[in-house]
Amino acid sequence: MRHKNLQSLSLSLLPLLLPACGSSGLLTTVGPDYQTEPLKAAANWQAPQPVAHQGDPADLNRWWERFNDPVLNRFLAAAEQESASVADAAARIEKARANLVGADAALLPNIGSSIEAKRSSSSFGSDPFVWNQFPAGLQSSWEIDLFGGLARQEQAALSQLESKNAAWHDARVSVAAEVANAHLAYRYCEGQVQIVQADTESRRESARLSEIAGKAGFRAPGDIALANASAAEGNRTLLQQQAQCERSIKGIVAMTGLQETEVRKLLTGAPDRVAKLPSPPAFRIDSLPAQVLLQRPDIAAAERNVAEASANIGVELAKRFPKLSLSGNITPTLQSINGSALLLAETWAIGPTLSLPLFDAGKRAADVEAARAQYQAAASNFRSKVRTAVKEVEEALVRLDSASQRLPQGRNAVTGYRANFLAVRELYQVGLGNLIDVETSRRNVLSAEMALKEIEQERVSAWIALYRAAGGSWEQHEDARKAGPSSAAPNSGDPEKTDHVNHQTDFTGGKS
């Protein structure tokens, strides 16, 4: 009979309580309903866009692969695997997943069980007797989401997970750009070494010829001393440049976690790539700034942080309203006294509890105001990141346009200075010039060649910066965008929270 009463009570409450399992409160959902606002960006880019007739915004998805550089691909994969920032971002995703599971669980009944064994002795003023008890209990509790506080908590947890997913992609894009720049810096350094080495050999040859001419009485001692000093200066510059390349290798080792011997073998294993700067494949960005900004994972993460802060306002507001919970337990107990036969005693209880917040000295109201302040801060941070993103894209476009325009001028300068140097040196060799003019002309050639190599390096670096500023290729796999670096547990069937295959996406557009 008691079981029938319990069942009848549960069935009578079920139609009332089922709405509390949804994504809104049973009575109402307090707090603001978040609406994504359009990005406040200019209608067009102010800086000139690169000329890329075959380019397409989708080309970012496989951009690194189209460098056709297996060494760079190896460095990128190793750096992502070893990056502390990527690992930290992945750990934050797992923490956000746990928060979301907890928020989902709070909407459902909590069920627990216990098994005990107790032996006690009592006298009650007469001979003592021994009492053996073996209770086995089943307990359940369920908070009914009257005012949507738990629903808002679930919304906040989901927004947090989406933010951490985007932050993970942002970390991967940042690592890719950082490693690519380090690889570029080494190749640039190799090119500088080649220029300085050729210049140093020329100085040494000039010094050798001056020594011979001096011994024959055709060169003054001052010219010989100047030629030797020039050769020494060339040697010093060469050693300095070689040391710079060595430091670049150390940096790549630190980023990738590879053994230095392997890094050196990769860098020098292909002679045709030594001192050759990467050739970045051209791409064009979308003409609408807002579309480009939406590709950036840091912007997506900041926007999701705003959504989380908005939901937290509802979480704090709900704490100022009554709370209804339903709890119950069933505890059958086997017991015996003084070794008698075991008897079964059953107890059960079920009922609602209504908690009313009466006086807290203004704490709940203060928490609501703090949540509103956090929302304003998150919204301000989002707008700031949008402005920063626009600046980064514009700066990358300016750098790329400037380097492209200066590149032919730099080549013309090298051609002119080299022709002048050859002419001046020829005059000196036939006795119609002086060594000071030769060395001045030599320095002009060296400066022009170094400047040209710097422009070439800057142009590649500008492409990498534009890739980074345009958001990289973080959305190349939709399932990776939703799931992050690992899979989640199955839950309510929401497409943003369903189980996904655990995988990592490499920087070349494939899966690893």
Side-chain angles (χ1 to χ4, degrees), residues 98-115:
N99 291 340
L100 179 58
V101 171
D104 288 339
L107 292 166
L108 301 173
N110 185 347
I111 301 176
S113 63
S114 63
I115 300 177

Side-chain angles (χ1 to χ4, degrees), residues 273-389:
R273 293 189 179 276
V274 174
K276 183 179 179 181
L277 299 182
S279 179
F283 65 89
R284 64 176 177 84
I285 60 175
D286 198 294
S287 59
L288 299 178
Q291 294 296 327
V292 175
L293 299 182
L294 287 174
Q295 296 179 164
R296 287 181 56 120
D298 58 336
I299 297 297
E303 188 274 333
R304 289 291 84 198
N305 289 338
V306 179
E308 178 189 357
S310 175
N312 283 333
I313 297 175
V315 173
E316 298 300 331
L317 271 173
K319 294 178 181 179
R320 304 188 66 185
F321 292 87
K323 180 187 296 185
L324 176 64
S325 59
L326 181 66
S327 61
N329 67 80
I330 301 175
T331 310
T333 303
L334 291 173
Q335 56 185 340
S336 70
I337 299 176
N338 288 337
S340 63
L342 291 173
L343 299 176
L344 177 63
E346 296 185 49
T347 60
W348 64 268
I350 186 172
T353 301
L354 185 65
S355 303
L356 302 175
L358 298 178
F359 178 74
D360 62 359
K363 180 182 182 304
R364 291 182 179 86
D367 289 341
V368 172
E369 292 305 314
R372 288 196 174 106
Q374 287 293 330
Y375 171 78
Q376 295 296 333
S380 177
N381 180 65
F382 172 67
R383 292 190 295 268
S384 175
K385 284 189 174 295
V386 170
R387 294 193 298 270
T388 301

Side-chain angles (χ1 to χ4, degrees), residues 238-280:
L238 178 59
L239 291 173
Q240 181 181 16
Q241 197 61 52
Q242 289 172 337
Q244 179 63 40
C245 294
E246 288 295 310
R247 290 197 296 271
S248 296
I249 291 178
K250 308 298 183 183
I252 294 175
V253 170
M255 287 182 189
T256 60
L258 300 174
Q259 294 294 324
E260 185 168 330
T261 53
E262 182 180 357
V263 171
R264 291 182 182 276
K265 183 178 180 180
L266 287 170
L267 290 172
T268 59
D272 59 319
R273 293 189 179 276
V274 174
K276 183 179 179 181
L277 299 182
S279 179

Side-chain angles (χ1 to χ4, degrees), residues 131-466:
W131 189 10
N132 296 319
Q133 293 177 291
F134 305 95
L138 184 66
Q139 306 86 30
S140 178
S141 62
W142 187 8
E143 180 182 342
I144 311 305
D145 194 16
L146 293 178
F147 298 96
L150 297 179
R152 294 297 189 194
Q153 185 173 318
E154 183 188 34
Q155 292 172 10
L158 180 57
S159 296
Q160 182 187 69
L161 176 58
E162 292 170 341
S163 173
K164 300 310 178 187
N165 273 330
W168 175 68
H169 289 290
D170 185 53
R172 294 173 62 243
V173 171
S174 297
V175 167
E178 185 179 0
V179 172
N181 276 318
H183 182 247
L184 170 63
Y186 178 77
R187 294 304 188 194
Y188 169 56
C189 188
E190 283 184 323
Q192 289 179 307
V193 166
Q194 285 190 349
I195 294 172
V196 174
Q197 194 166 26
D199 177 75
T200 300
E201 291 174 357
S202 176
R203 292 170 187 253
R204 290 172 183 167
E205 181 64 16
S206 295
R208 186 185 70 83
L209 295 176
S210 295
E211 286 279 358
I212 295 175
K215 291 178 180 179
F218 294 108
R219 290 287 182 265
D223 284 350
I224 299 174
L226 180 58
N228 290 332
S230 177
E233 182 182 3
N235 288 330
R236 177 193 61 79
T237 304
L238 178 59
L239 291 173
Q240 181 181 16
Q241 197 61 52
Q242 289 172 337
Q244 179 63 40
C245 294
E246 288 295 310
R247 290 197 296 271
S248 296
I249 291 178
K250 308 298 183 183
I252 294 175
V253 170
M255 287 182 189
T256 60
L258 300 174
Q259 294 294 324
E260 185 168 330
T261 53
E262 182 180 357
V263 171
R264 291 182 182 276
K265 183 178 180 180
L266 287 170
L267 290 172
T268 59
D272 59 319
R273 293 189 179 276
V274 174
K276 183 179 179 181
L277 299 182
S279 179
F283 65 89
R284 64 176 177 84
I285 60 175
D286 198 294
S287 59
L288 299 178
Q291 294 296 327
V292 175
L293 299 182
L294 287 174
Q295 296 179 164
R296 287 181 56 120
D298 58 336
I299 297 297
E303 188 274 333
R304 289 291 84 198
N305 289 338
V306 179
E308 178 189 357
S310 175
N312 283 333
I313 297 175
V315 173
E316 298 300 331
L317 271 173
K319 294 178 181 179
R320 304 188 66 185
F321 292 87
K323 180 187 296 185
L324 176 64
S325 59
L326 181 66
S327 61
N329 67 80
I330 301 175
T331 310
T333 303
L334 291 173
Q335 56 185 340
S336 70
I337 299 176
N338 288 337
S340 63
L342 291 173
L343 299 176
L344 177 63
E346 296 185 49
T347 60
W348 64 268
I350 186 172
T353 301
L354 185 65
S355 303
L356 302 175
L358 298 178
F359 178 74
D360 62 359
K363 180 182 182 304
R364 291 182 179 86
D367 289 341
V368 172
E369 292 305 314
R372 288 196 174 106
Q374 287 293 330
Y375 171 78
Q376 295 296 333
S380 177
N381 180 65
F382 172 67
R383 292 190 295 268
S384 175
K385 284 189 174 295
V386 170
R387 294 193 298 270
T388 301
V390 172
K391 182 197 73 170
E392 290 176 352
V393 174
E394 294 279 6
E395 287 181 344
L397 290 173
V398 169
R399 287 180 58 193
L400 186 56
D401 181 66
S402 175
S404 298
Q405 291 190 45
R406 286 183 286 129
L407 196 57
Q409 305 299 324
R411 290 171 180 154
N412 291 338
V414 169
T415 301
Y417 280 123
R418 180 163 294 281
N420 174 260
F421 167 68
L422 294 176
V424 172
R425 186 179 63 176
E426 185 176 353
L427 287 175
Y428 175 72
Q429 289 174 346
V430 298
L432 299 178
N434 61 78
L435 189 58
I436 294 179
D437 292 339
V438 173
E439 293 304 321
T440 300
S441 181
R442 189 198 305 277
R443 290 190 182 92
N444 290 339
V445 174
L446 177 62
S447 298
E449 290 179 338
M450 296 291 275
L452 175 61
K453 184 62 67 174
E454 182 179 359
I455 295 173
E456 293 173 346
Q457 184 266 349
E458 184 180 348
R459 181 174 176 274
V460 179
S461 178
W463 275 113
I464 296 173
L466 184 59

